[in-house]
Every structure is written in structure tokens, then in C-alpha cells.
Amino acid sequence: MIRALFVSDIHIQSPTDARAELFRRFVLSCQADPPTHLFLVGDIFDLWVADRDYFVSAYQSLIDELVKLKKLGCEIHYFEGNHDLDLRLYWQHKLGFDVHSEAAFYQLGDYRLRVEHGDQMDPEDRGYLCLRWLLRTPWVRFLGRTLPNRSVAWIGRRASLASRDYTTNFKSASDGKVRDKISAHSLKVYADRPFDFLISGHVHVAMDSEIPLKDGKTFRCVNTGTWLKEALVFVMDDGAGRLIPVTDFIKHK
């Protein structure tokens, strides 16, 4: 039986913040009844760069719990967001997780899924899209991998603040307008490659809507919101999906 879980935009700022502890409890609850798939849909950390010891040592205990979950048979996918960068070097090459920097497609049972962080949904956000391109150039990745830890942390936090500034207009719009932009994006990408579910994060607005098509069919458009507002997980088993509070998920384990 396929059972997939999706979380995003946790924005863990330190090993001791409340969201770090809640995420640890979430992972432990997953170990008790392992899902087939866990999708980390970007911005799990408020800052992560490459395989730097600065980040690995800070979050080693949390990483260890995720590795335990993987060893229990859970397939873990981690999508790069605008706060966690150059993930393949550590999370894929060293830990064996599947890392994605763009949208990816999956067939889970009878359902086709498109999963993406969501930071490319607003074509009008040209400043951020330019920054996104810059942060993924080979020379910026080289700097992130080779500069001293303190320099990387400083530059990373500056880039993180710049990313927040660029995406403020999108995220500060009314929830209704943000959902309209997500819906418009979903229709556009559906025309290129159809799917049954689009699951994203980034915009900090929770959403679970049926999007109608001209032929009378529909698809589901899900955004997992942010743990800065309310910690949610999208639980998908045998095609049925529901967006629920993480505390409820943990409670029922």
C-alpha cells in the first residue's frame, strides 16, 4: 500500500527551536509506522548550504532520525527551496536521499503527481527568479562549498534575506490572490504534462482545491503552507489525500 507524506516550509532556524523539536517528533512518529514516501518540499531549514560541517553538526541528531526512517524502507525526496541550497552534495551523495532542484513527476498507485517547491510559480517575480538563477550557478556553488563556515553562513543569511525581500509581494498578497496564482500556474503546467495532483510549498498559504478543466475533469492542487503559521502535513494513501495538523498526525501514532 502506498502512503506518502508531504511537508514544506518548516524554516528550522536552530537545533533548539520549537519547529525543530516538532519535526523530530514527526519523524519519530513516521518511524513507528513508516510511510512508503516522505517528500520534503523545500525550505525545511531556514538556511542550509551544501555539505558544510556548520550545518551538519548543528542538525546531526535530526539527520540521524531521517536516516533511520530511510533504513526502515521509506523513500525520501528532498526539494531544494530558496533557503536550502546545493543539497545534492550531502543529502543525495552522502545520505542517499533523492534531491530535486526542479519539479518532479511520480506515479503513486493510480495517481500522477507533480511535486515542486513552488518558487517558480509567479512569473512576475523577476527579481527573485534572477536571484534563484544566480544562486544555482557553478561559481556560487563553488563559493558555498569552499569558503570558511562563518563566511558561508553570513552570505547564506544575506541570500536568505534577499530571497524573502524578493518574494514578499507574492507572500503578502491576500490568501485568495495567492491561491489564484497557484491555480493559474497549475493550469499552465498541466497543459504541458497532465497530472492528478500538484503539490507545492513556498507561498506560506495552505490550500487543497479541486481545479476544474474544460473537459469536465478536475485535478487536485495542494499547498502545504508553512510551519511558521501552522504545522501541516499532506497525507496521501491509496489516492485519498488530506491536509492535517502535524500534531494530530503525531497524536494518532
Side-chain angles (χ1 to χ4, degrees), residues 13-86:
Q13 294 181 322
S14 78
T16 57
D17 79 20
R19 291 184 301 281
E21 173 58 19
L22 183 58
F23 185 55
R24 186 189 70 83
R25 290 171 54 209
F26 168 73
V27 175
L28 289 173
S29 69
C30 289
Q31 291 174 9
D33 182 16
T36 55
H37 302 75
L38 172 61
F39 292 86
L40 307 174
V41 194
D43 287 356
I44 303 306
F45 299 92
D46 204 52
L47 181 62
W48 183 290
V49 180
D51 62 344
R52 305 310 300 262
D53 290 341
Y54 181 90
F55 304 104
V56 175
S57 59
Y59 298 109
Q60 189 63 64
S61 61
L62 185 52
I63 293 164
D64 289 344
E65 298 302 339
L66 285 165
V67 170
K68 287 179 187 176
L69 179 60
K70 180 179 182 296
K71 288 180 178 178
L72 290 170
C74 178
E75 191 176 297
I76 301 179
H77 296 263
Y78 195 162
F79 286 73
E80 288 186 347
N82 47 304
H83 291 266
D84 30 23
L85 305 166
D86 198 11

Side-chain angles (χ1 to χ4, degrees), residues 171-227:
K171 292 178 181 176
S172 63
S174 69
D175 287 2
K177 287 184 177 179
V178 170
R179 292 189 180 104
D180 286 345
K181 286 197 173 188
I182 297 172
S183 298
H185 168 75
S186 69
L187 288 166
K188 180 180 177 181
V189 295
Y190 182 93
D192 294 331
R193 182 173 174 179
F195 45 78
D196 299 300
F197 287 82
L198 183 147
I199 301 172
S200 63
H202 180 64
V203 296
H204 294 186
V205 174
M207 173 179 179
D208 184 1
S209 300
E210 292 276 352
I211 307 298
L213 297 165
K214 291 181 179 178
D215 60 4
K217 297 179 181 178
T218 64
F219 62 83
R220 290 269 291 281
C221 194
V222 177
N223 192 285
T224 55
T226 177
W227 290 27

